[in-house]
mmCIF file of all heavy atoms in Angstrom:
data_model
loop_
_atom_site.group_PDB
_atom_site.id
_atom_site.type_symbol
_atom_site.label_atom_id
_atom_site.label_comp_id
_atom_site.label_asym_id
_atom_site.label_seq_id
_atom_site.Cartn_x
_atom_site.Cartn_y
_atom_site.Cartn_z
ATOM 1 N N ALA M 320 12.759 -10.521 9.343
ATOM 2 C CA ALA M 320 12.357 -10.850 10.725
ATOM 3 C C ALA M 320 13.541 -10.852 11.672
ATOM 4 O O ALA M 320 13.469 -10.399 12.819
ATOM 5 C CB ALA M 320 11.632 -12.176 10.757
ATOM 6 N N LEU M 321 14.680 -11.376 11.178
ATOM 7 C CA LEU M 321 15.867 -11.469 12.037
ATOM 8 C C LEU M 321 16.459 -10.082 12.369
ATOM 9 O O LEU M 321 16.663 -9.785 13.553
ATOM 10 C CB LEU M 321 16.889 -12.337 11.330
ATOM 11 C CG LEU M 321 17.727 -13.286 12.162
ATOM 12 C CD1 LEU M 321 16.910 -14.079 13.133
ATOM 13 C CD2 LEU M 321 18.526 -14.245 11.299
ATOM 14 N N PRO M 322 16.674 -9.234 11.292
ATOM 15 C CA PRO M 322 17.167 -7.883 11.641
ATOM 16 C C PRO M 322 16.174 -7.103 12.554
ATOM 17 O O PRO M 322 16.659 -6.301 13.343
ATOM 18 C CB PRO M 322 17.241 -7.180 10.293
ATOM 19 C CG PRO M 322 17.442 -8.295 9.352
ATOM 20 C CD PRO M 322 16.685 -9.453 9.865
ATOM 21 N N SER M 323 14.915 -7.399 12.446
ATOM 22 C CA SER M 323 13.922 -6.671 13.274
ATOM 23 C C SER M 323 14.138 -6.975 14.795
ATOM 24 O O SER M 323 13.731 -6.182 15.609
ATOM 25 C CB SER M 323 12.453 -7.151 12.945
ATOM 26 O OG SER M 323 12.205 -6.751 11.627
ATOM 27 N N ILE M 324 14.772 -8.107 15.078
ATOM 28 C CA ILE M 324 14.984 -8.474 16.509
ATOM 29 C C ILE M 324 15.753 -7.307 17.204
ATOM 30 O O ILE M 324 15.477 -6.990 18.353
ATOM 31 C CB ILE M 324 15.806 -9.766 16.586
ATOM 32 C CG1 ILE M 324 14.896 -10.915 16.212
ATOM 33 C CG2 ILE M 324 16.372 -10.008 18.010
ATOM 34 C CD1 ILE M 324 15.596 -12.236 15.998
ATOM 35 N N PHE M 325 16.651 -6.657 16.467
ATOM 36 C CA PHE M 325 17.448 -5.603 17.070
ATOM 37 C C PHE M 325 16.536 -4.443 17.520
ATOM 38 O O PHE M 325 16.812 -3.741 18.473
ATOM 39 C CB PHE M 325 18.538 -5.111 16.106
ATOM 40 C CG PHE M 325 19.657 -6.080 15.996
ATOM 41 C CD1 PHE M 325 19.617 -7.034 14.980
ATOM 42 C CD2 PHE M 325 20.683 -6.065 16.879
ATOM 43 C CE1 PHE M 325 20.652 -7.931 14.910
ATOM 44 C CE2 PHE M 325 21.723 -6.970 16.736
ATOM 45 C CZ PHE M 325 21.678 -7.953 15.790
ATOM 46 N N MET M 326 15.463 -4.209 16.729
ATOM 47 C CA MET M 326 14.543 -3.174 17.095
ATOM 48 C C MET M 326 13.698 -3.563 18.318
ATOM 49 O O MET M 326 13.462 -2.751 19.211
ATOM 50 C CB MET M 326 13.608 -2.839 15.903
ATOM 51 C CG MET M 326 14.401 -2.138 14.821
ATOM 52 S SD MET M 326 13.310 -1.602 13.493
ATOM 53 C CE MET M 326 12.451 -0.228 14.321
ATOM 54 N N TYR M 327 13.266 -4.838 18.337
ATOM 55 C CA TYR M 327 12.508 -5.292 19.464
ATOM 56 C C TYR M 327 13.307 -5.265 20.765
ATOM 57 O O TYR M 327 12.778 -5.026 21.842
ATOM 58 C CB TYR M 327 11.999 -6.780 19.263
ATOM 59 C CG TYR M 327 11.153 -6.937 18.030
ATOM 60 C CD1 TYR M 327 11.307 -8.060 17.227
ATOM 61 C CD2 TYR M 327 10.189 -6.010 17.692
ATOM 62 C CE1 TYR M 327 10.500 -8.250 16.099
ATOM 63 C CE2 TYR M 327 9.384 -6.219 16.549
ATOM 64 C CZ TYR M 327 9.573 -7.330 15.777
ATOM 65 O OH TYR M 327 8.798 -7.493 14.666
ATOM 66 N N LEU M 328 14.600 -5.519 20.585
ATOM 67 C CA LEU M 328 15.493 -5.594 21.787
ATOM 68 C C LEU M 328 15.880 -4.206 22.311
ATOM 69 O O LEU M 328 16.450 -4.113 23.420
ATOM 70 C CB LEU M 328 16.758 -6.369 21.476
ATOM 71 C CG LEU M 328 16.632 -7.882 21.344
ATOM 72 C CD1 LEU M 328 17.959 -8.499 20.911
ATOM 73 C CD2 LEU M 328 16.217 -8.508 22.677
ATOM 74 N N MET M 329 15.605 -3.188 21.545
ATOM 75 C CA MET M 329 16.092 -1.836 21.861
ATOM 76 C C MET M 329 15.641 -1.427 23.301
ATOM 77 O O MET M 329 16.443 -0.906 24.059
ATOM 78 C CB MET M 329 15.607 -0.809 20.852
ATOM 79 C CG MET M 329 16.607 0.273 20.669
ATOM 80 S SD MET M 329 16.670 0.808 18.945
ATOM 81 C CE MET M 329 15.120 1.744 18.824
ATOM 82 N N GLY M 330 14.414 -1.667 23.642
ATOM 83 C CA GLY M 330 13.883 -1.301 24.958
ATOM 84 C C GLY M 330 14.641 -2.021 26.073
ATOM 85 O O GLY M 330 15.032 -1.395 27.063
ATOM 86 N N ILE M 331 14.821 -3.349 25.864
ATOM 87 C CA ILE M 331 15.451 -4.144 26.911
ATOM 88 C C ILE M 331 16.974 -3.790 27.024
ATOM 89 O O ILE M 331 17.507 -3.718 28.137
ATOM 90 C CB ILE M 331 15.356 -5.658 26.546
ATOM 91 C CG1 ILE M 331 13.890 -6.033 26.289
ATOM 92 C CG2 ILE M 331 15.989 -6.554 27.575
ATOM 93 C CD1 ILE M 331 13.706 -7.319 25.584
ATOM 94 N N MET M 332 17.568 -3.488 25.914
ATOM 95 C CA MET M 332 19.011 -3.195 25.871
ATOM 96 C C MET M 332 19.329 -1.759 26.353
ATOM 97 O O MET M 332 20.488 -1.513 26.702
ATOM 98 C CB MET M 332 19.551 -3.408 24.450
ATOM 99 C CG MET M 332 19.517 -4.830 23.963
ATOM 100 S SD MET M 332 20.740 -5.901 24.723
ATOM 101 C CE MET M 332 22.219 -5.296 24.025
ATOM 102 N N ALA M 333 18.344 -0.892 26.316
ATOM 103 C CA ALA M 333 18.635 0.537 26.599
ATOM 104 C C ALA M 333 19.496 0.835 27.825
ATOM 105 O O ALA M 333 20.513 1.578 27.710
ATOM 106 C CB ALA M 333 17.299 1.311 26.673
ATOM 107 N N PRO M 334 19.153 0.254 29.007
ATOM 108 C CA PRO M 334 20.000 0.592 30.197
ATOM 109 C C PRO M 334 21.444 0.132 30.001
ATOM 110 O O PRO M 334 22.383 0.877 30.349
ATOM 111 C CB PRO M 334 19.338 -0.204 31.322
ATOM 112 C CG PRO M 334 18.034 -0.639 30.785
ATOM 113 C CD PRO M 334 18.069 -0.673 29.331
ATOM 114 N N ILE M 335 21.674 -1.062 29.430
ATOM 115 C CA ILE M 335 23.031 -1.543 29.207
ATOM 116 C C ILE M 335 23.800 -0.694 28.211
ATOM 117 O O ILE M 335 24.951 -0.335 28.350
ATOM 118 C CB ILE M 335 23.023 -3.034 28.743
ATOM 119 C CG1 ILE M 335 22.090 -3.847 29.619
ATOM 120 C CG2 ILE M 335 24.397 -3.619 28.741
ATOM 121 C CD1 ILE M 335 21.681 -5.189 29.043
ATOM 122 N N ILE M 336 23.046 -0.345 27.152
ATOM 123 C CA ILE M 336 23.651 0.481 26.049
ATOM 124 C C ILE M 336 24.116 1.854 26.619
ATOM 125 O O ILE M 336 25.192 2.302 26.256
ATOM 126 C CB ILE M 336 22.648 0.656 24.900
ATOM 127 C CG1 ILE M 336 22.584 -0.626 24.063
ATOM 128 C CG2 ILE M 336 22.990 1.799 24.006
ATOM 129 C CD1 ILE M 336 21.418 -0.651 23.112
ATOM 130 N N LYS M 337 23.307 2.418 27.468
ATOM 131 C CA LYS M 337 23.647 3.730 28.060
ATOM 132 C C LYS M 337 24.890 3.658 28.942
ATOM 133 O O LYS M 337 25.733 4.540 28.973
ATOM 134 C CB LYS M 337 22.449 4.225 28.870
ATOM 135 C CG LYS M 337 21.417 4.954 28.021
ATOM 136 C CD LYS M 337 20.327 5.507 28.913
ATOM 137 C CE LYS M 337 19.084 5.887 28.095
ATOM 138 N NZ LYS M 337 17.902 6.047 28.900
ATOM 139 N N GLU M 338 25.021 2.523 29.626
ATOM 140 C CA GLU M 338 26.142 2.328 30.551
ATOM 141 C C GLU M 338 27.469 2.162 29.870
ATOM 142 O O GLU M 338 28.474 2.698 30.272
ATOM 143 C CB GLU M 338 25.904 1.068 31.407
ATOM 144 C CG GLU M 338 24.747 1.202 32.435
ATOM 145 C CD GLU M 338 25.246 1.744 33.746
ATOM 146 O OE1 GLU M 338 26.317 1.282 34.200
ATOM 147 O OE2 GLU M 338 24.562 2.621 34.332
ATOM 148 N N SER M 339 27.465 1.362 28.812
ATOM 149 C CA SER M 339 28.737 0.991 28.182
ATOM 150 C C SER M 339 28.776 1.333 26.710
ATOM 151 O O SER M 339 28.032 0.791 25.874
ATOM 152 C CB SER M 339 28.935 -0.518 28.395
ATOM 153 O OG SER M 339 29.900 -0.954 27.477
ATOM 154 N N PRO M 340 29.697 2.248 26.309
ATOM 155 C CA PRO M 340 29.829 2.608 24.895
ATOM 156 C C PRO M 340 30.259 1.395 24.052
ATOM 157 O O PRO M 340 29.811 1.303 22.874
ATOM 158 C CB PRO M 340 30.912 3.670 24.883
ATOM 159 C CG PRO M 340 31.091 4.139 26.256
ATOM 160 C CD PRO M 340 30.614 3.053 27.156
ATOM 161 N N THR M 341 31.013 0.496 24.590
ATOM 162 C CA THR M 341 31.457 -0.706 23.794
ATOM 163 C C THR M 341 30.251 -1.559 23.441
ATOM 164 O O THR M 341 30.104 -1.959 22.303
ATOM 165 C CB THR M 341 32.450 -1.563 24.675
ATOM 166 O OG1 THR M 341 33.356 -0.656 25.289
ATOM 167 C CG2 THR M 341 33.146 -2.556 23.826
ATOM 168 N N VAL M 342 29.363 -1.798 24.431
ATOM 169 C CA VAL M 342 28.155 -2.611 24.133
ATOM 170 C C VAL M 342 27.306 -1.890 23.164
ATOM 171 O O VAL M 342 26.750 -2.453 22.254
ATOM 172 C CB VAL M 342 27.366 -2.887 25.448
ATOM 173 C CG1 VAL M 342 26.030 -3.633 25.156
ATOM 174 C CG2 VAL M 342 28.216 -3.690 26.410
ATOM 175 N N PHE M 343 27.199 -0.563 23.294
ATOM 176 C CA PHE M 343 26.347 0.247 22.400
ATOM 177 C C PHE M 343 26.844 0.092 20.945
ATOM 178 O O PHE M 343 26.078 -0.190 20.057
ATOM 179 C CB PHE M 343 26.413 1.690 22.847
ATOM 180 C CG PHE M 343 25.807 2.667 21.825
ATOM 181 C CD1 PHE M 343 24.477 2.634 21.508
ATOM 182 C CD2 PHE M 343 26.635 3.571 21.148
ATOM 183 C CE1 PHE M 343 23.911 3.529 20.607
ATOM 184 C CE2 PHE M 343 26.096 4.464 20.196
ATOM 185 C CZ PHE M 343 24.745 4.420 19.922
ATOM 186 N N TYR M 344 28.178 0.277 20.746
ATOM 187 C CA TYR M 344 28.689 0.170 19.367
ATOM 188 C C TYR M 344 28.614 -1.253 18.827
ATOM 189 O O TYR M 344 28.390 -1.453 17.606
ATOM 190 C CB TYR M 344 30.104 0.793 19.279
ATOM 191 C CG TYR M 344 30.082 2.296 19.253
ATOM 192 C CD1 TYR M 344 30.440 3.097 20.324
ATOM 193 C CD2 TYR M 344 29.617 2.956 18.102
ATOM 194 C CE1 TYR M 344 30.390 4.439 20.282
ATOM 195 C CE2 TYR M 344 29.531 4.340 18.049
ATOM 196 C CZ TYR M 344 29.902 5.071 19.145
ATOM 197 O OH TYR M 344 29.844 6.479 19.088
ATOM 198 N N ALA M 345 28.812 -2.226 19.672
ATOM 199 C CA ALA M 345 28.713 -3.646 19.255
ATOM 200 C C ALA M 345 27.298 -3.941 18.811
ATOM 201 O O ALA M 345 27.036 -4.518 17.748
ATOM 202 C CB ALA M 345 29.138 -4.558 20.391
ATOM 203 N N TYR M 346 26.351 -3.499 19.628
ATOM 204 C CA TYR M 346 24.905 -3.691 19.297
ATOM 205 C C TYR M 346 24.591 -3.018 18.007
ATOM 206 O O TYR M 346 23.967 -3.577 17.149
ATOM 207 C CB TYR M 346 24.070 -3.116 20.467
ATOM 208 C CG TYR M 346 22.576 -3.129 20.233
ATOM 209 C CD1 TYR M 346 21.827 -4.285 20.434
ATOM 210 C CD2 TYR M 346 21.950 -1.985 19.791
ATOM 211 C CE1 TYR M 346 20.449 -4.278 20.238
ATOM 212 C CE2 TYR M 346 20.569 -1.953 19.578
ATOM 213 C CZ TYR M 346 19.865 -3.120 19.787
ATOM 214 O OH TYR M 346 18.466 -3.099 19.539
ATOM 215 N N TRP M 347 24.997 -1.786 17.857
ATOM 216 C CA TRP M 347 24.757 -0.989 16.673
ATOM 217 C C TRP M 347 25.350 -1.615 15.432
ATOM 218 O O TRP M 347 24.764 -1.728 14.378
ATOM 219 C CB TRP M 347 25.293 0.454 16.894
ATOM 220 C CG TRP M 347 24.785 1.439 15.891
ATOM 221 C CD1 TRP M 347 23.900 1.268 14.889
ATOM 222 C CD2 TRP M 347 25.136 2.855 15.861
ATOM 223 N NE1 TRP M 347 23.696 2.456 14.195
ATOM 224 C CE2 TRP M 347 24.434 3.443 14.781
ATOM 225 C CE3 TRP M 347 25.964 3.676 16.606
ATOM 226 C CZ2 TRP M 347 24.536 4.808 14.420
ATOM 227 C CZ3 TRP M 347 26.086 4.985 16.268
ATOM 228 C CH2 TRP M 347 25.358 5.581 15.222
ATOM 229 N N PHE M 348 26.620 -2.125 15.623
ATOM 230 C CA PHE M 348 27.340 -2.718 14.482
ATOM 231 C C PHE M 348 26.548 -3.953 13.941
ATOM 232 O O PHE M 348 26.283 -4.039 12.785
ATOM 233 C CB PHE M 348 28.727 -3.179 14.920
ATOM 234 C CG PHE M 348 29.529 -3.880 13.910
ATOM 235 C CD1 PHE M 348 30.187 -3.140 12.905
ATOM 236 C CD2 PHE M 348 29.602 -5.252 13.895
ATOM 237 C CE1 PHE M 348 30.899 -3.833 11.943
ATOM 238 C CE2 PHE M 348 30.333 -5.906 12.946
ATOM 239 C CZ PHE M 348 30.973 -5.203 11.939
ATOM 240 N N PHE M 349 26.161 -4.810 14.863
ATOM 241 C CA PHE M 349 25.492 -6.032 14.392
ATOM 242 C C PHE M 349 24.097 -5.674 13.843
ATOM 243 O O PHE M 349 23.643 -6.319 12.900
ATOM 244 C CB PHE M 349 25.411 -7.087 15.531
ATOM 245 C CG PHE M 349 26.697 -7.807 15.699
ATOM 246 C CD1 PHE M 349 27.535 -7.538 16.807
ATOM 247 C CD2 PHE M 349 27.154 -8.664 14.719
ATOM 248 C CE1 PHE M 349 28.794 -8.169 16.914
ATOM 249 C CE2 PHE M 349 28.394 -9.296 14.827
ATOM 250 C CZ PHE M 349 29.197 -9.058 15.905
ATOM 251 N N ALA M 350 23.434 -4.706 14.458
ATOM 252 C CA ALA M 350 22.117 -4.304 13.926
ATOM 253 C C ALA M 350 22.267 -3.806 12.532
ATOM 254 O O ALA M 350 21.473 -4.150 11.626
ATOM 255 C CB ALA M 350 21.498 -3.214 14.849
ATOM 256 N N MET M 351 23.261 -3.008 12.273
ATOM 257 C CA MET M 351 23.504 -2.499 10.913
ATOM 258 C C MET M 351 23.864 -3.602 9.931
ATOM 259 O O MET M 351 23.380 -3.612 8.821
ATOM 260 C CB MET M 351 24.540 -1.387 10.922
ATOM 261 C CG MET M 351 24.034 -0.084 11.409
ATOM 262 S SD MET M 351 25.188 1.282 11.158
ATOM 263 C CE MET M 351 24.977 1.558 9.395
ATOM 264 N N VAL M 352 24.738 -4.482 10.365
ATOM 265 C CA VAL M 352 25.172 -5.582 9.492
ATOM 266 C C VAL M 352 23.990 -6.438 9.116
ATOM 267 O O VAL M 352 23.764 -6.777 7.938
ATOM 268 C CB VAL M 352 26.297 -6.428 10.223
ATOM 269 C CG1 VAL M 352 26.447 -7.764 9.554
ATOM 270 C CG2 VAL M 352 27.595 -5.658 10.206
ATOM 271 N N PHE M 353 23.165 -6.779 10.107
ATOM 272 C CA PHE M 353 21.931 -7.594 9.813
ATOM 273 C C PHE M 353 20.961 -6.835 8.877
ATOM 274 O O PHE M 353 20.350 -7.430 8.017
ATOM 275 C CB PHE M 353 21.247 -7.937 11.166
ATOM 276 C CG PHE M 353 21.724 -9.256 11.688
ATOM 277 C CD1 PHE M 353 22.903 -9.309 12.436
ATOM 278 C CD2 PHE M 353 20.961 -10.408 11.528
ATOM 279 C CE1 PHE M 353 23.358 -10.531 12.954
ATOM 280 C CE2 PHE M 353 21.403 -11.623 12.054
ATOM 281 C CZ PHE M 353 22.594 -11.660 12.793
ATOM 282 N N ASN M 354 20.805 -5.532 9.126
ATOM 283 C CA ASN M 354 19.903 -4.767 8.296
ATOM 284 C C ASN M 354 20.369 -4.653 6.839
ATOM 285 O O ASN M 354 19.607 -4.834 5.916
ATOM 286 C CB ASN M 354 19.708 -3.340 8.857
ATOM 287 C CG ASN M 354 18.559 -3.320 9.847
ATOM 288 O OD1 ASN M 354 17.504 -3.863 9.612
ATOM 289 N ND2 ASN M 354 18.788 -2.605 10.955
#
Side-chain angles (χ1 to χ4, degrees):
Chain M
L321 217 50
S323 296
I324 289 171
F325 287 93
M326 290 186 71
Y327 301 140
L328 285 175
M329 212 143 74
I331 306 163
M332 294 287 289
I335 311 164
I336 284 170
K337 275 181 194 165
E338 290 271 316
S339 161
T341 315
V342 176
F343 169 67
Y344 281 107
Y346 174 82
W347 194 1
F348 177 80
F349 283 107
M351 281 191 75
V352 162
F353 269 79
N354 271 317

